[in-house]
Amino acid sequence: MVSSDSILQVANVIKNYSVRKGEPIKAVDNISFEVKKGEILGLLGPNGAGKTTTVKIICSLIRPDSGTILVDGIDNFQHRSKALGKISAVLEGNRNIYWRLTVRENLEFFAALKGYNPKELKKEIDYYIDFFDLKDKEHETANKISRGMKQKLAIAVAMVTNSEIVLLDEPTLGLDVKASYEIRDLLKKIAYEEGRTVILTTHDMNVVQDICERVVIIDKGRIIAEDRIENLMRLFQVKSYKFILKDRLTDEQQNQLLAIPHLTLLETEDATEIELNLENSQTFYQVIDILRIEEDTVIESIDRQEINFEKIFMDILGRSDEDAKDLAVG
Amino acid sequence: MQKIWLLGKAFLKREFILFKRYFFNSLGGIITLYVIFLMLFLGFKGVGGPNVGESIEGLVVGYTLWMFALSAYQDITLTIQREAREGTLEQLYMSVYNFGWVMAAKTFAQSLINLIIVVGMLFLLMFTTGTFLNLDVVSLVPLVFFTLPNFFGLGFIFGGIALIFKQINNYLQIMQFVLILFVSVPVGSVPIFKFMPGSWGSSLIYRVMLAGESIFQFAASDLVFLCGIGLAYLLLGIAVYKICERIAIDRGLLGQY
Ligand SMILES: Nc1ncnc2c1ncn2[C@@H]1O[C@H](COP(=O)(O)OP(=O)(O)OP(=O)(O)O)[C@@H](O)[C@H]1O
Ligand SMILES: [Mg+2]
């Protein structure tokens, strides 16, 4: 299973948080995945899915109950410092930087914390100050710069020490559109030009669609999908259709249609909309057959749906919920 | 080792920058401490009596010791508490250095600044009260050096507890007063007081500053005990902190969950 070009291996990680009252929370429930060098990986999932916990376990900040993390082949709890030399992170909801230090002082301080002599890193520090467009603010204390700039500074701090893996937990949260776009561009540059590995969590599917090459989707601590973005897009895109009908359907037709999985029916006064996510092309013809039972049913249009990643994401989550229900029933 | 020095330098730089940048904020705290002292001083003078001169000298030394103890212990506890709350502690934990070294560097830098402030205060108090104490540097430097670890130990104990139980500020306030006790109990009359954190070291410092003794007049066993008790409290503090840290990493408490 161990492929030589993967820089991060997460294997069978389990984390339960014990709480004062009641059952422990299964935050991470046996997760395994690998990340290749130079890849931008999106770690997605609804609130409470276990993304932040997973990120912090990778950063050696939370000890898993079981399972291992290998950073470039190094176990991150057995050889903590060595592994941490290869990782940097911008964590969710944290300041990550010192608000009372200036932009440059922050970069210098954290460089030292990662084992570098700030003087020897001057070129890199200058580079990132330029790169993140912080030149004007270089001598401002961080509490005086805007939220977007603070976030950029936090990312710059994570970048400046050349760590091979950069983890970003919700890097665009609360940023305006412009700042969000800037950060996306920067991340692409970092991965493509510098060959660094970026792992990010976000709820913004536009960000995912725009920059991630591959996604791992988790829900309730388990991986429910893991694939390259374009595969997920292809899988869903060509097979989603919207039928618009002129009239209402008969009860007979409705009942038959509703028996088809992944089909939603929307009836208004004088029209019907059917949305269909196809499992296989068989169902497409099945729908047509049902519609043809009545001669009067006029199909006004059949559209292949424009699907964005957000919709795919929702579908994947929806399916995993259904699976869970099926399991509970069966 | 050279690398550890880089870490020390980074913290020194940071602490001095902050000290300079927020000097006027710190000044507020310093003035408050001075005003409290003035009130104590005037109170003492008001009471009067034949030994008032001596007791004012005692007050100056005691107050200075208390400020020193307070800053040593508080810096550690408050640093850990504050950085955990603001979310920079997790970054410190992601350093390539062991967190012990990070804290050592930070404490070293902060203690230097505290030393400057406290020595400045000492002179201010001496001028205010018109008392001039025996400032035998050769004796005092090693005594202070070996007394400090007692308070660092306390800092780590409470820092560790603060990691796990976030709301301990009321107890930290009480500690301020308990520290007065620690630096002023008469270790001569009740032997067990010797074992309180910082009490023995404080008693030796009193002996130098008030009685004019020199470190060379102390019995070797007294000095050995000074080092021993300081080390013991420091190790105890680190041990308690390590246990708390382990719990915090298990429960995900290094940040503000
Ligand atoms: N330190 C902690 N102690 C106890 N429970 C925790 C702790 N941290 C997280 N949890 C719980 O574990 C589960 C997973 O949380 P986590 O923060 O990893 O989710 P997430 O995917 O990052 O969610 P979000 O999208 O809201 O950031 C949640 O139910 C959360 O309440
Ligand atoms: Mg999260």
Side-chain angles (χ1 to χ4, degrees):
Chain A
M1 250 285 288
V2 179
S3 44
S4 56
D5 60 346
S6 69
I7 185 129
L8 179 72
Q9 290 160 261
V10 175
N12 309 105
V13 169
I14 296 179
K15 180 73 206 174
N16 297 313
Y17 289 114
S18 42
V19 281
R20 261 194 223 122
K21 276 181 245 160
E23 294 274 293
I25 299 172
K26 281 189 178 173
V28 176
D29 191 6
N30 202 359
I31 277 186
S32 305
F33 63 91
E34 294 191 3
V35 189
K36 290 202 184 70
K37 202 169 161 41
E39 187 172 40
I40 305 186
L41 178 91
L43 193 58
L44 314 180
N47 288 127
K51 303 179 297 290
T52 299
T53 304
T54 306
V55 166
K56 288 190 180 176
I57 290 173
I58 294 171
C59 295
S60 322
L61 294 171
I62 294 178
R63 198 191 317 274
D65 299 345
S66 63
T68 46
I69 308 281
L70 297 182
V71 180
D72 207 3
I74 302 163
D75 186 298
N76 78 333
F77 271 97
Q78 268 167 27
H79 305 281
R80 216 187 131 100
S81 318
K82 246 184 153 175
L84 283 173
K86 295 172 183 285
I87 286 190
S88 54
V90 178
L91 298 164
E92 178 191 14
N94 275 0
R95 286 196 183 171
N96 294 294
I97 48 170
Y98 289 102
W99 282 18
R100 297 184 301 160
L101 294 181
T102 66
V103 168
R104 180 172 283 276
E105 286 160 2
N106 265 296
L107 286 160
E108 288 175 349
F109 178 77
F110 284 105
L113 210 55
K114 280 292 191 187
Y116 289 85
N117 184 347
K119 279 204 193 102
E120 283 160 20
L121 229 54
K122 187 174 179 312
K123 230 175 64 197
E124 282 81 355
I125 290 174
D126 287 339
Y127 173 76
Y128 280 104
I129 287 177
D130 272 343
F131 190 101
F132 283 87
D133 218 0
L134 291 165
K135 190 80 197 152
D136 303 345
K137 307 283 178 181
E138 142 181 45
H139 300 297
E140 288 282 356
T141 51
N143 56 358
K144 294 215 185 78
I145 61 179
S146 72
R147 191 165 174 168
M149 284 180 177
K150 282 193 188 94
Q151 189 65 3
K152 284 195 217 167
L153 174 58
I155 297 175
V157 163
M159 297 297 169
V160 79
T161 52
N162 294 315
S163 45
E164 291 171 56
I165 302 177
V166 182
L167 290 121
L168 305 164
D169 202 352
E170 310 218 9
T172 54
L173 184 75
L175 298 187
D176 66 23
V177 181
K178 181 165 169 283
S180 167
Y181 268 102
E182 277 171 4
I183 286 181
R184 290 184 209 182
D185 285 344
L186 297 172
L187 292 180
K188 278 194 240 178
K189 253 195 201 164
I190 285 152
Y192 302 151
E193 287 174 17
E194 301 181 18
R196 297 214 242 162
T197 310
V198 177
I199 300 172
L200 67 98
T201 81
T202 180
H203 292 291
D204 185 343
M205 293 307 143
N206 293 324
V207 172
V208 177
Q209 196 169 348
D210 186 12
I211 68 175
C212 293
E213 298 167 71
R214 206 160 60 88
V215 293
V216 169
I217 303 179
I218 56 180
D219 187 21
K220 304 189 186 79
R222 288 170 167 273
I223 294 184
I224 57 169
E226 179 184 356
D227 208 338
R228 296 184 67 78
I229 285 272
E230 70 252 27
N231 291 349
L232 289 174
M233 297 288 277
R234 202 179 310 132
L235 199 69
F236 283 78
Q237 194 153 22
V238 290
K239 292 184 180 173
S240 183
Y241 292 92
K242 187 187 244 167
F243 296 76
I244 310 259
L245 312 176
K246 239 200 169 114
D247 298 300
R248 296 171 63 103
L249 298 169
T250 62
D251 289 351
E252 163 79 16
Q253 281 174 315
Q254 275 192 28
N255 288 339
Q256 289 200 19
L257 280 174
L258 287 174
I260 295 175
H262 310 302
L263 181 146
T264 50
L265 200 60
L266 193 83
E267 291 219 297
T268 57
E269 275 295 300
D270 46 16
T272 304
E273 241 181 76
I274 300 171
E275 235 182 271
L276 178 66
N277 287 334
L278 288 185
E279 294 277 272
N280 51 46
S281 46
Q282 206 58 49
T283 22
F284 182 84
Y285 297 111
Q286 213 178 326
V287 171
I288 304 278
D289 285 344
I290 297 169
L291 296 179
R292 285 213 311 228
I293 300 175
E294 282 295 321
E295 296 227 327
D296 295 348
T297 307
V298 180
I299 302 175
E300 199 161 69
S301 65
I302 303 176
D303 279 333
R304 219 167 75 179
Q305 282 277 71
E306 243 331 297
I307 284 205
N308 56 17
F309 190 72
E310 183 151 340
K311 189 149 178 352
I312 295 173
F313 177 69
M314 294 310 295
D315 281 348
I316 293 172
L317 282 180
R319 279 185 197 195
S320 108
D321 273 354
E322 274 171 32
D323 290 351
K325 270 183 223 140
D326 289 350
L327 278 179
V329 174
Chain B
M1 213 50 222
Q2 194 201 355
K3 289 213 138 186
I4 297 286
W5 168 238
L6 278 179
L7 184 70
K9 220 168 102 180
F11 271 103
L12 265 180
K13 188 168 172 205
R14 187 184 99 179
E15 296 307 324
F16 272 96
I17 287 171
L18 291 177
F19 177 59
K20 256 174 38 196
R21 189 165 293 155
Y22 294 94
F23 182 72
F24 284 97
N25 293 36
S26 332
L27 207 60
I30 293 174
I31 291 172
T32 312
L33 282 172
Y34 182 64
V35 169
I36 295 174
F37 177 81
L38 273 186
M39 290 184 329
L40 287 173
F41 170 58
L42 295 176
F44 259 64
K45 267 179 74 165
V47 174
N51 293 329
V52 71
E54 247 173 60
S55 48
I56 284 173
E57 284 185 347
L59 178 70
V60 172
V61 179
Y63 200 76
T64 309
L65 278 172
W66 174 70
M67 286 188 298
F68 209 46
L70 188 65
S71 54
Y73 129 87
Q74 257 188 358
D75 276 336
I76 294 180
T77 306
L78 295 184
T79 298
I80 292 168
Q81 205 183 18
R82 179 175 182 170
E83 303 230 7
R85 190 179 59 234
E86 296 183 349
T88 39
L89 189 69
E90 290 184 312
Q91 292 293 347
L92 294 185
Y93 265 93
M94 287 185 68
S95 164
V96 296
Y97 303 102
N98 191 308
F99 187 71
W101 283 115
V102 173
M103 259 342 259
K106 156 95 190 170
T107 306
F108 163 69
Q110 188 84 52
S111 298
L112 275 185
I113 292 181
N114 289 338
L115 197 68
I116 295 170
I117 298 176
V118 172
V119 169
M121 276 296 267
L122 174 62
F123 278 98
L124 184 64
L125 300 189
M126 290 199 301
F127 280 114
T128 310
T129 56
T131 51
F132 291 92
L133 300 156
N134 176 29
L135 296 181
D136 169 4
V137 177
V138 177
S139 299
L140 287 176
V141 168
L143 290 181
V144 166
F145 185 82
F146 285 105
T147 305
L148 273 176
N150 290 277
F151 305 121
F152 293 157
L154 288 181
F156 280 116
I157 292 174
F158 284 93
I161 295 171
L163 264 189
I164 298 176
F165 306 99
K166 308 281 179 189
Q167 312 298 339
I168 62 159
N169 284 342
N170 291 335
Y171 300 96
L172 294 182
Q173 305 255 310
I174 295 170
M175 263 311 283
Q176 298 188 356
F177 300 103
V178 176
L179 279 178
I180 301 180
L181 204 75
F182 289 161
V183 299
S184 62
V185 286
V187 293
S189 44
V190 187
I192 195 138
F193 286 171
K194 268 170 72 166
F195 294 95
M196 285 171 140
S199 300
W200 179 248
S202 300
S203 78
L204 296 183
I205 293 172
Y206 280 110
R207 275 166 64 185
V208 171
M209 292 179 78
L210 297 181
E213 287 183 55
S214 140
I215 196 167
F216 303 108
Q217 293 166 273
F218 293 155
S221 60
D222 286 353
L223 295 177
V224 170
F225 186 74
L226 174 74
C227 302
I229 193 93
L231 197 65
Y233 272 107
L234 183 62
L235 290 180
L236 177 72
I238 291 173
V240 170
Y241 183 79
K242 280 278 165 199
I243 294 169
C244 295
E245 172 187 281
R246 166 115 209 164
I247 296 172
I249 292 182
D250 277 339
R251 298 199 194 151
L253 297 175
L254 292 181
Q256 74 303 44
Y257 165 65

